[in-house]
Amino acid sequence: MARKNRNPVGKNVDPEAQKKKTRTLTLKSSDGQEFSISESAAVLSIAIENMVEDDCAGGVIPLPLVDGGTLARVITYLNKHAEDGASDEEKRKFDEEFVSGMEMGVLFDVVLAANYLDIRGLLREVRRRIADRMKNKSVEWVRKTFHIESDFTPEEEEQMKKEFAWAWEGVDSDVDD
Amino acid sequence: MGVSRRIGTAWSDLPQEIVEKIANCLDTETDVLRFRAICSSWRSARTPFKRFPPTPLRLPFQVNPGRPLIPRHKDAYFRLIERTVYRVQLPETTEPRFWLVKTERSRDGKLRILNPVNDHRIKIQPQTQLPKLLNTLDFRVSEVCKGYALRYVNPAKSKRNNEYVYAYA
């Protein structure tokens, strides 16, 4: 085994990967801000990777569905995850902090951007954190925080009340178990 | 996208596939129940929580053949039961105190309250003021943990006396 592996790790460089690291792309947000990013970081987004492969990029990649603030955040994420030598533990910690301070509106924009740009890791992380914010919270609190109004009919509301009820055993005389 | 949010983020406009994935990150019955009560599009994004099998899961007698702790009876079997410990708090309060309620479901889907420490059933006296139903929407309820027990069931004996909790995890 060892003899066959004549190229020690690190020297066995894929010239294509090396090129990606040095090549820079420009991403343009919906509000016209431009951001430079290495190709190796940018292609962590499957959507951008496809655009680069199709060569429809032509230097500047327009992202009409992502605003500048959100794109800046996403780029921070991509750079960290493309960083040489960043350990999995380090990236995990980064993800943790990256999402934890986000306001609801920011989370919303980031989850949409991650979905649109197809950045799997980020999407997974943000989805999980959105769910975390709902855990152990009342229905009212979630509706208020997420700006959602109930659109249930009175009949549906009635049905739901039943779902939420705890019926005690042994309170009715006819219980038999 | 992105632009539409300025007047209060429109979470109800989130693409359904994202909502579904978010919903799948919820893993307790209580959280799923609440999620499905937010609005109709969220409700359809997640199927109801799969409750522990309502038809009793019967296990053959030889669960622990080396240790015949219990006298064997013909046709006797074990039933796996699930128990949940909830933390119940009054809504809208800064009061830190809470109740710990341990429950298991009887076969008709009703809840039986157990003493969280020794697992003895707490009998609700009919004359007490406790309501027949407790609407959990009126409280802050969260699941603390779940446990499973094997209950020894001997069909030959009378309904009341055939139960013996064998193991508890």
Side-chain angles (χ1 to χ4, degrees), chain A residues 30 64-67 70 73 103-109 111-113 115-116 123-124 126-132 134-152 156-157 159-177, chain B residues 1-6 8-15 17-18 21-22 25-28 30-31 33-43 51 79 86 88 101 103 105-113 121 124 126 130-137 140-143 159-160 163:
Chain A
S30 61
L65 297 181
V66 188
D67 66 81
T70 308
R73 282 196 173 83
E103 283 172 26
M104 294 303 298
V106 175
L107 268 183
F108 182 82
D109 287 344
V111 79
L112 283 180
N115 188 52
Y116 164 60
L123 192 54
R124 215 178 305 124
V126 181
R127 280 191 315 234
R128 192 173 63 78
R129 302 299 282 270
I130 293 171
D132 282 350
M134 299 177 193
K135 285 181 181 172
N136 295 330
K137 297 294 194 314
S138 72
V139 172
E140 273 319 303
W141 187 92
V142 174
R143 282 194 190 136
K144 211 164 72 192
T145 310
F146 288 77
H147 303 284
I148 295 176
E149 276 176 32
S150 166
D151 56 352
F152 292 117
E156 287 169 323
E157 296 269 7
Q159 171 60 34
M160 255 177 298
K161 259 191 202 153
K162 281 185 205 149
E163 292 177 9
F164 280 95
W166 281 356
W168 303 117
E169 182 200 41
V171 176
D172 293 323
S173 53
D174 55 352
V175 171
D176 180 31
D177 179 62
Chain B
M1 283 191 237
V3 196
S4 65
R5 80 172 179 92
R6 296 310 152 201
T9 311
W11 283 93
S12 44
D13 296 343
L14 208 59
E17 80 257 22
I18 302 182
K21 293 268 175 59
I22 292 172
C25 298
L26 300 171
D27 46 18
T28 69
T30 333
D31 281 329
L33 210 56
R34 281 188 287 235
F35 182 88
R36 288 173 42 84
I38 302 293
C39 65
S40 47
S41 80
W42 283 27
R43 188 173 183 80
R51 206 174 261 173
R79 191 151 69 91
Y86 294 97
V88 181
V101 184
T103 63
R105 261 176 214 282
S106 62
R107 263 173 280 177
D108 57 1
K110 296 202 169 175
L111 285 181
R112 169 183 296 166
I113 313 177
R121 275 191 206 181
I124 298 168
L130 197 86
K132 286 183 180 178
L133 292 175
L134 184 78
N135 186 353
T136 54
L137 278 172
R140 276 156 69 187
V141 178
S142 51
E143 280 181 29
K159 271 187 174 175
R160 285 288 159 207
E163 292 181 340

Side-chain angles (χ1 to χ4, degrees), chain A residues 3 8 24 32 42 53-54 66 77 82 96-97 108 136-137 142 149 153 171:
Chain A
R3 283 186 67 101
T24 309
E53 272 173 12
D54 298 347
V66 188
Y77 174 91
E96 185 82 21
E97 284 163 15
F108 182 82
N136 295 330
K137 297 294 194 314
V142 174
E149 276 176 32
T153 63
V171 176

Side-chain angles (χ1 to χ4, degrees), chain B residues 24 30 49 51 56 65 74 129 138 148 155:
Chain B
N24 284 333
T30 333
F49 190 83
R51 206 174 261 173
K74 194 173 165 292
Q129 295 298 303
D138 295 339
Y148 297 88

